[in-house]
Amino acid sequence: MFVDTSYVLLWTLFPLIAVVYFSFLRHKKCCNRDKKVLPPGDMGLPFIGETMEFFNAQRRNQLFEEFVEPRIQKHGKIFKTRIMGSPTVVVNGAEANKFILSNEFKLVKSSWPSSSVQLMGSDCIMEKDSDKHRYLRGVIGTTLGYAGLEVLVPKICSSVRFYLATNWKGQEKVSLYHSTKVLTFSIVFECLLGINVEPGMLDTFERVLEGVFSPAVEFPGSKFWRAKKARVEIEKMLIKVVRKKRKEMEEKLLSKENGMLLSRLVHGMIQGEISEKEVIDNVVLLVFAAHDTTSIAIAMTFKMLAQNPDCYKKLLQEHVDILNNKKCGENLTIEDTKNMNYTWQVARESMRLFPPIFGSFRKAITDIEYEGLTIPRGWKVLWTTYGTHYNEQYFKDPMSFKPSRFEETIQPYAYVPFGGGPRLCAGYQLAKLNILIFVHYVVTQYDWFLLHPEEPITMDPLPFPSLGMPIRISSKYT
Ligand code: HEM
């Protein structure tokens, strides 16, 4: 019988071919399983990526509306992009905020632009992790604990009252935003740190702040160059202050128990727990963290009150009730601030609609797996406040101003103007007191209205009212 040898060969080789074929399939499946799935999104042009789109939207204070939201629509709540030279994953939503913020030090670490690190100082709290971070949080936390706050309240009251008496009394028109900036600056320096504000200090600090998010290019005349020069001036001034304080403390003229944050930091220095540079970098950082954030929060609270007369009426009544229980000229106490529940709801709602901080950057310190996607090690992660604050899922009718929504429990990590996790704002309590006390004295002493109700809010990189929010004022007592 004729036997086709090719058939014989085929039947002999068949099991071998089958084994090779199935092994190939298995290998392919394994590889696919190991292959990491990056989040969807466009990386834009080589190197610059989508930086221009990001900055243009930011300048118009439309970062969420023009940059983030269209990409959420196209790619979903977690998308990749490339900004400022770094591949970046933008995450939105309470679950994603929680995942990223609570995994600080484990999966991610805080990641500030080079210009911010150079100007704030490489030894400031935002650059620290583990023990040093815990130590600095402890020092700030003790100063802002209940006993510390009790002492702070009358000091803040005196600062606000003095400021209004010397700068608003007899005036018809003032810049609300400028006032809040001057006040928050002196409150951080004098009430929290215990350092006297000297003439010109605010301007020098403002020059540093102007460069904090500008490109770290040091050519004469550039923002960053000016900021670096201002930082040197500040350093010289702070070195003198810190050494004087150290001498006083070593000679037992002053104890760390005077409650002031600078004394506590200098005490740590004497004990060898922190260096002089760490003290100085953290003083600069605290001013940066407190200044523009609290100022814009107060300004937007007033803007919302002007636009919502019913809310203003209710808030005013809260303060009149508190005032009626005080003797003439008596300062507020911490207990009085606890009776400002509605005012705090108004301020919180203003910060929900206009969060002073858009969000912030982290860096993945390992490959991160989240919802079936991989954020590769070394990539940046940007979490946002707007991603939850403007989302119907967390806040019903999100674009309406409704302070009473804070009577209900809010899902954790949905309301995040102060961030969350181990890096939750360390000055939250001070910011709250600053806002409540300022509102109290203004609304009980003055009638006021906005001169430009439609004034645009710009961003550079924090939001601010473009005209300084001028208001017409008239004293209630003349
Ligand atoms: C309305 C006012 C304020 C807002 C909206 C605000 C917001 C924030 C946010 C969002 C963070 C977290 C940043 C991140 O996760 O990368 C933060 C951190 C921080 N804030 Fe505030 N802040 C305010 C006022 C203040 C004040 C008054 C102080 C100090 C006296 C302060 C001190 C700090 C510090 C030291 C950190 C760093 C915490 C750390 O790294 O552990 N903040 N703030």
Side-chain angles (χ1 to χ4, degrees), residues 88-139:
T88 303
V89 174
V90 182
V91 299
N92 294 281
E95 299 74 12
N97 286 347
K98 181 174 177 190
F99 180 73
I100 294 299
L101 290 170
S102 63
N103 275 306
E104 179 81 25
F105 311 131
K106 293 181 215 138
L107 301 179
V108 293
K109 65 174 201 164
S110 154
S111 175
W112 287 80
S114 155
S115 48
S116 315
V117 178
Q118 290 188 51
L119 293 172
M120 294 302 109
S122 54
D123 275 320
C124 75
I125 188 170
M126 286 181 174
E127 287 297 296
K128 299 282 180 188
D129 43 34
S130 59
D131 289 352
K132 205 35 98 46
H133 179 255
R134 217 169 302 124
Y135 175 81
L136 289 166
R137 294 271 327 190
V139 176

Side-chain angles (χ1 to χ4, degrees), residues 229-252:
K229 280 182 67 175
R231 159 89 205 195
V232 173
E233 272 177 55
I234 285 169
E235 237 170 67
K236 276 191 203 149
M237 182 274 291
L238 286 177
I239 285 174
K240 274 195 214 148
V241 173
V242 168
R243 290 185 184 166
K244 182 164 174 260
K245 182 112 331 187
R246 178 176 189 150
K247 195 160 174 271
E248 285 168 354
M249 290 178 77
E250 281 175 338
E251 288 168 2
K252 306 259 183 294

